[in-house]
Amino acid sequence: MPNHKKNVEVVDTTCPWVSKVWNTVDTHQKKGLTSIIHGKYAHEETVATISFCEDYIIVKDMKEADMVTDYIVNGGDKEALLKYFKNAISEGFDPDTMLNKVGLANQTTMYKKETRAIGQAFQKAMMKKFGPTEVNQHYMEFDTICDATQERQDAVSELVENSKELDLDFILVVGGWDSSNTAHLLEIPLIGGVRAFHINRSDCIGADNTITHRTMSGEIVTEPFILDLDKDVIMGVTSGASTPDSAVQDSLGSIFMLKNLQKEKKEE
């Protein structure tokens, strides 16, 4: 029986940015392009995206992108390439024929600057192989980075760039430990040499001035938090795109509690 006869209303709650990625890879297929997807092959969003693709290869980072672009330009060990990407390619993938015309898409939570760098690498590879005048026949790109993700990445990058001027002590990243976009927010300061912590809830900040956090490698560790509670703390705070505001406020409350406890100790 049709839904309307059952008095059932179906509401599509798919993120519009994810839908944009799906429309992008669908366009790739219609134009006879292989989709180059910047993402993690086991991530739920990427698994959904490849369901719209006939031919695809998933690259996790710049290193993997360089492997593919090098093969495009110079050829190489076909079997070794297929073995390395065995979990990240479409069935029957042939790099000798399927990498001549490609289009770029991405998991919307990936690091924006890396997606752009990967796109530039593939564009340059096509220029080298087919010439500058033919590049548009062999490479296509759309911007499919989620706005919420992009704004946060830009803000954290700006904090890192100005960290010395701001005399920043650390950057606190609040969000799920299994969240890809939150994990990327941690990478930006750590790669930039700024102390940073990724917590998933306020309880990670202990009353004994320790913090339990997720490292860039995915390990959960506990270590001393604020190095000098007597001085003013200057910090940057950000959160994952779907992290509730209350989680951020509760985490800040835990930090204020540490400062108040220290103040009370000094007054005793």
Side-chain angles (χ1 to χ4, degrees):
M1 183 184 294
N3 285 331
H4 70 273
K5 291 187 177 180
K6 296 179 182 178
N7 198 30
V8 174
E9 181 182 0
V10 178
V11 180
D12 184 357
T13 58
T14 306
C15 169
W17 284 96
V18 174
S19 295
K20 186 177 180 182
V21 174
W22 295 346
N23 290 333
T24 295
V25 296
D26 184 58
T27 300
H28 293 168
Q29 308 311 306
K30 290 176 180 176
K31 291 182 177 290
L33 305 173
T34 294
S35 293
I36 307 293
I37 301 171
H38 177 211
K40 301 172 183 177
Y41 68 80
H43 191 279
E44 296 91 337
E45 183 189 321
T46 298
V47 171
T49 297
I50 63 175
S51 70
F52 291 83
C53 302
E54 292 181 18
D55 304 321
Y56 66 83
I57 182 167
I58 303 165
V59 294
K60 180 179 66 176
D61 50 29
M62 199 66 216
K63 174 189 171 185
E64 293 188 353
D66 286 341
M67 292 173 64
V68 179
T69 55
D70 182 67
Y71 191 91
I72 290 173
V73 177
N74 302 309
D77 189 333
K78 179 177 177 178
E79 294 307 314
L81 186 77
L82 291 174
K83 183 178 180 181
Y84 182 91
F85 287 99
K86 64 181 179 180
N87 295 317
I89 50 177
S90 50
E91 186 176 352
F93 189 84
D94 184 354
D96 292 333
T97 60
M98 294 179 179
L99 291 176
N100 288 327
K101 293 178 69 177
V102 302
L104 181 68
N106 67 289
Q107 182 182 309
T108 59
T109 56
M110 298 303 282
Y111 188 29
K112 176 190 68 174
K113 289 184 179 179
E114 188 169 47
T115 296
R116 287 180 175 171
I118 287 171
Q120 289 172 356
F122 275 95
Q123 189 176 46
K124 287 178 182 177
M126 292 306 180
M127 284 183 182
K128 287 181 181 178
K129 186 167 184 178
F130 299 104
T133 60
E134 297 295 318
V135 67
N136 290 335
Q137 302 301 315
H138 296 272
Y139 177 74
M140 179 181 289
E141 177 181 334
F142 295 101
D143 182 5
T144 53
I145 290 286
C146 165
D147 266 354
T149 298
Q150 184 169 320
E151 288 170 2
R152 284 163 169 77
Q153 291 177 358
D154 289 345
V156 174
S157 295
E158 187 175 344
L159 278 174
V160 172
E161 289 168 6
N162 296 286
S163 59
K164 290 184 179 178
E165 181 182 334
L166 295 170
D167 197 21
L168 207 61
D169 291 303
F170 59 84
I171 292 176
L172 185 70
V173 181
V174 185
W177 280 337
D178 59 350
S179 166
S180 179
N181 79 83
T182 310
H184 287 302
L185 293 174
L186 176 71
E187 292 173 3
I188 298 170
L190 291 182
I191 291 172
V194 176
R195 197 167 178 243
F197 304 97
H198 175 189
I199 64 173
N200 65 346
R201 60 182 187 274
S202 61
D203 292 350
C204 291
I205 299 171
D208 58 349
N209 192 22
T210 59
I211 186 165
T212 300
H213 63 104
R214 181 187 183 277
T215 66
M216 204 159 67
S217 64
E219 186 181 3
I220 308 302
V221 300
T222 300
E223 64 177 270
F225 183 27
I226 299 176
L227 300 180
D228 186 356
L229 278 170
D230 290 326
K231 80 177 207 51
D232 289 339
V233 176
I234 302 174
M235 61 181 171
V237 182
T238 188
S239 64
S242 58
T243 302
D245 289 344
S246 60
V248 178
Q249 294 301 322
D250 290 346
S251 299
L252 291 174
S254 294
I255 295 174
F256 298 149
M257 177 197 69
L258 286 177
K259 291 291 290 181
N260 287 334
L261 286 173
Q262 179 68 8
K263 183 179 179 181
E264 289 173 4
K265 284 181 181 179
K266 290 181 70 177
E267 291 175 351
E268 288 178 357

